[in-house]
């Protein structure tokens, strides 16, 4: 890993036998404990962009993500079916991975009562996608969730793996724009209403963009109106493992963890099944529907009461289990009535997914009964119903403009003396510390040097 000595920014990272230039540092863990994950958008020597994840994983965590992704990649490459051909370029594209041979055991020295040991791992994957909350319309959102269900079907039944950590952060929207804006007379327009395979247009569009070999141009600051093909992509396979694996530890992100994983009676004997992945996906959908009131992650007013907010503020698993079970048992009163107006057309289909996941009257007494076929059928019906509404998609990737000053005397949002001084005393001006390399023993912590 190389860094700029002046800015402290990472400029390039090596993984395995490949070196990648850093395009952007997009995630950094803000806590001292845990995986210490850093995520970068990187560019390989051939010009293609990927995602590089650098993290510290528990030694007793289970199977390495590198192993899981390698196995999925091999299955996709050896599968000649049409589904596999579509998923090959749109779902986990494993580039390279490396176990760095570093462990917290050596770094913690003689510390007593140390946390569990962790190992350092670096993985490069693709594709580079947008956050799930960047959906431009209800149609696009449901299409993305439907893609995830179909991929999970392939992952469970062909790859014989479960994901183990479906959440809002582990689903991205992969967009494949044309290399240049299409002309009105273009023959490249695809009729998506008559296609038999929902993945075909994505492959066609990708091939066209590659064949044109035209350079991409920056989007206008107001955003793009054009129709951009999308696909939902499941990422982050840190907790993935073979089906029927008995784990001493449960896995997942608390607000999206299935009820069985939260149930303390399953401690030490929990087996994460395919239906649990679908349940976590449904809880992710509930979160988006409950907290957004429009496309592109438009949040509902903060003052509005949302009962499922308890799911995001409770850290005690036993209490969270009770909260979720109660809300799902009283779905109409605790969830459905608080769904914003924007999502009302989707609400009946969401209720059907709830009924298909817990077939009894009491979620506490039953494990998830979710199935790929039922989820697919319900979401396809929802997709057709939402398409009929004719919602105009929001613009893609608009950028906010910096506020212009009205005159040269306008101090802007932060007046000069507040930027560089403490109070109004000129003697307290903070000067930048000069770049100077010294021995660590000579380090002096001062801002006035």
């Amino acid at each position: 890993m190389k860094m700029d000595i002046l800015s402290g920014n990472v400029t390039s990272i090596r993984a395995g036998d490949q070196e990648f230039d850093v395009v952007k540092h997009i995630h950094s863990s803000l806590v001292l404990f845990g995986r210490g994950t850093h995520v970068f958008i990187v560019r390989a020597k051939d010009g293609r962009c990927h995602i590089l994840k650098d993290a510290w994983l528990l030694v007793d965590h289970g199977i390495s993500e590198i192993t899981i992704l390698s196995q999925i990649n091999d299955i996709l490459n050896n599968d000649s079916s049409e589904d596999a051909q579509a998923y090959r370029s749109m779902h986990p594209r494993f580039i390279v991975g490396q176990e760095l041979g570093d462990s917290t055991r050596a770094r913690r020295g003689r510390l007593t009562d140390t946390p569990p040991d962790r190992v350092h791992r670096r993985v490069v994957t693709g594709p580079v996608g947008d956050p799930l909350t960047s959906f431009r319309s209800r149609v696009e959102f449901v299409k993305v969730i439907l893609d995830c269900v179909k991929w999970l079907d392939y992952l469970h039944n062909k790859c014989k793996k479960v994901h183990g950590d479906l959440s809002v952060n582990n689903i991205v929207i992969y967009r494949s724009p044309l290399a240049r804006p299409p002309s009105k007379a273009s023959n490249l327009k695809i009729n998506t209403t008559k296609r038999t395979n929902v993945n075909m247009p994505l492959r066609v569009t990708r091939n066209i963009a590659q064949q044109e070999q035209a350079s991409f141009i920056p989007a206008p600051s107001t955003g793009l109106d054009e129709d951009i093909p999308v696909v939902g992509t499941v990422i982050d396979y840190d907790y993935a493992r073979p089906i029927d694996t008995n784990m001493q530890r449960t896995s997942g992100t608390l607000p999206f963890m299935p009820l069985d994983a939260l149930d303390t009676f399953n401690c030490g004997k929990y087996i994460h099944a395919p239906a649990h992945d679908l349940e976590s996906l449904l809880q992710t959908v509930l979160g988006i529907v409950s907290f957004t009131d429009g496309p592109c992650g438009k949040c509902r007013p903060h003052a509005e009461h949302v009962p499922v907010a308890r799911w995001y503020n409770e850290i005690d698993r036993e209490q969270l289990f009770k909260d979720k079970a109660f809300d799902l048992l009283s779905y109409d009163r605790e969830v459905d009535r608080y769904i914003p107006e924007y999502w009302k057309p989707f609400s009946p289909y969401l209720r059907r997914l709830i009924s298909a996941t817990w077939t009894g009257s009491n979620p506490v007494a039953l494990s998830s009964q979710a199935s790929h076929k039922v989820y697919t059928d319900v979401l396809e019906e929802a997709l057709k119903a939402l398409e009929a509404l004719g919602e105009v998609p929001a613009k893609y990737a608009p950028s906010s403009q910096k506020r212009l000053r009205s005159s040269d005397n306008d101090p802007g949002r932060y007046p000069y003396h507040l930027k560089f001084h403490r109070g109004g005393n000129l003697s307290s001006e903070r000067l930048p510390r000069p770049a100077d390399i010294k021995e660590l023993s000579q380090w002096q912590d001062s801002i006035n040097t």
Side-chain angles (χ1 to χ4, degrees), residues 226-385:
E226 66 182 75
D227 182 24
I228 304 176
V230 301
V231 66
T233 303
V234 177
I235 63 171
D236 196 348
Y237 287 74
D238 273 336
Y239 291 102
R241 61 260 197 186
I243 293 176
D244 295 331
T245 300
N246 191 333
M247 299 285 290
Q248 293 298 316
R249 297 172 178 266
T250 56
S251 66
T253 306
L254 286 175
F256 315 102
M257 284 177 67
L259 291 175
D260 281 346
L262 295 171
D263 192 349
T264 55
F265 287 101
N266 292 328
C267 184
K269 56 182 180 180
Y270 173 69
I271 296 178
H272 192 94
H276 292 132
D277 276 347
L278 292 173
E279 181 185 342
S280 292
L281 180 64
L282 176 57
Q283 294 189 32
T284 301
V285 173
L286 283 174
I288 296 292
V289 170
S290 296
F291 292 105
T292 62
D293 192 17
C296 301
K298 177 187 175 185
C299 294
R300 65 190 302 171
H302 295 292
E304 293 184 1
H305 177 58
V306 184
V308 297
R310 294 190 295 261
W311 301 8
Y312 296 80
N313 296 286
E314 182 58 66
I315 61 174
D316 182 84
R317 294 193 177 195
E318 185 175 3
Q319 184 59 48
L320 181 57
F321 170 74
K322 296 175 182 178
D323 290 341
K324 284 189 178 184
F326 176 78
D327 290 340
L328 294 170
L329 179 63
S330 308
Y331 176 78
D332 289 338
R333 187 182 71 179
E334 298 296 323
V335 181
D336 186 70
R337 67 183 292 195
Y338 294 98
I339 291 178
E341 194 65 30
Y342 178 76
W343 292 105
K344 290 298 184 184
F346 181 53
S347 180
Y349 303 96
L350 194 54
R351 181 184 282 104
R352 288 173 57 185
L353 292 176
I354 293 288
S355 300
T357 305
W358 296 280
T359 55
S361 59
N362 186 1
V364 180
L366 292 173
S367 296
S368 172
Q369 303 298 311
S371 71
H372 306 96
K373 185 180 186 310
V374 174
Y375 269 48
T376 300
D377 292 344
V378 172
L379 290 172
E380 286 180 344
E381 290 184 36
L383 191 60
K384 292 179 180 178

Side-chain angles (χ1 to χ4, degrees), residues 44-345:
K45 298 305 180 184
D46 61 2
R48 299 181 68 186
C49 288
H50 311 292
I51 294 293
L52 186 148
K53 181 172 65 175
D54 184 284
W56 292 78
L57 286 306
L58 291 171
V59 172
D60 60 352
H61 182 64
I63 301 177
S64 167
E65 183 181 16
I66 297 175
T67 302
I68 291 291
L69 290 175
S70 297
Q71 292 174 352
I72 294 174
N73 189 64
D74 291 341
I75 293 172
L76 284 170
N77 289 334
N78 294 327
D79 190 345
S80 59
S81 68
E82 193 171 335
D83 286 342
Q85 293 176 19
Y87 291 135
R88 195 169 296 145
S89 59
M90 298 298 172
H91 286 278
R93 185 176 67 239
F94 178 62
I95 307 301
V96 66
Q98 181 183 10
E99 302 287 355
L100 296 176
D102 198 358
S103 169
T104 55
R105 179 188 293 272
R107 292 178 176 271
R108 287 168 178 158
R110 299 180 180 180
L111 289 177
T112 59
D113 192 22
T114 59
D117 291 335
R118 293 178 178 271
V119 292
H120 197 182
R121 182 176 301 150
R122 199 169 284 167
V123 181
V124 182
T125 60
V128 178
D130 295 322
L132 178 59
T133 52
S134 69
F135 63 91
R136 299 170 62 192
S137 66
R138 289 166 296 199
V139 170
E140 184 173 277
F141 176 75
V142 173
K143 168 69 169 59
V144 166
I145 298 302
L146 180 58
D147 287 343
C148 292
V149 172
K150 293 181 177 181
W151 166 249
L152 289 175
D153 190 2
Y154 188 91
L155 179 70
H156 297 154
N157 294 308
K158 290 291 185 69
C159 302
K160 305 299 181 183
K161 303 285 191 300
V162 290
H163 184 274
D165 189 18
L166 263 294
S167 70
V168 68
N169 292 323
N170 289 341
I171 299 172
V172 297
I173 302 176
Y174 175 76
R175 292 183 168 95
S176 180
L178 294 174
R180 57 175 177 266
S183 64
K184 294 182 179 179
S186 175
N187 295 323
L188 303 180
K189 188 176 181 180
I190 300 170
N191 185 351
T192 60
T193 60
K194 297 182 179 180
R195 54 193 166 94
T196 57
N197 186 337
V198 296
N199 298 304
M200 286 298 292
L202 298 169
R203 293 182 7 238
V204 171
T205 304
R206 185 182 180 89
N207 291 336
I208 290 172
Q210 291 175 343
Q211 291 168 7
E212 288 180 343
Q213 295 184 352
S215 60
F216 285 87
I217 59 176
S221 59
T222 55
L224 294 175
D225 287 321
E226 66 182 75
D227 182 24
I228 304 176
V230 301
V231 66
T233 303
V234 177
I235 63 171
D236 196 348
Y237 287 74
D238 273 336
Y239 291 102
R241 61 260 197 186
I243 293 176
D244 295 331
T245 300
N246 191 333
M247 299 285 290
Q248 293 298 316
R249 297 172 178 266
T250 56
S251 66
T253 306
L254 286 175
F256 315 102
M257 284 177 67
L259 291 175
D260 281 346
L262 295 171
D263 192 349
T264 55
F265 287 101
N266 292 328
C267 184
K269 56 182 180 180
Y270 173 69
I271 296 178
H272 192 94
H276 292 132
D277 276 347
L278 292 173
E279 181 185 342
S280 292
L281 180 64
L282 176 57
Q283 294 189 32
T284 301
V285 173
L286 283 174
I288 296 292
V289 170
S290 296
F291 292 105
T292 62
D293 192 17
C296 301
K298 177 187 175 185
C299 294
R300 65 190 302 171
H302 295 292
E304 293 184 1
H305 177 58
V306 184
V308 297
R310 294 190 295 261
W311 301 8
Y312 296 80
N313 296 286
E314 182 58 66
I315 61 174
D316 182 84
R317 294 193 177 195
E318 185 175 3
Q319 184 59 48
L320 181 57
F321 170 74
K322 296 175 182 178
D323 290 341
K324 284 189 178 184
F326 176 78
D327 290 340
L328 294 170
L329 179 63
S330 308
Y331 176 78
D332 289 338
R333 187 182 71 179
E334 298 296 323
V335 181
D336 186 70
R337 67 183 292 195
Y338 294 98
I339 291 178
E341 194 65 30
Y342 178 76
W343 292 105
K344 290 298 184 184

Side-chain angles (χ1 to χ4, degrees), residues 402-417:
K402 183 178 180 180
R403 188 182 78 89
L404 299 178
R405 298 189 178 187
S406 58
S407 67
D408 292 338
N409 296 324
D410 183 359
R413 182 179 299 176
Y414 301 104
Y416 183 83
H417 72 278

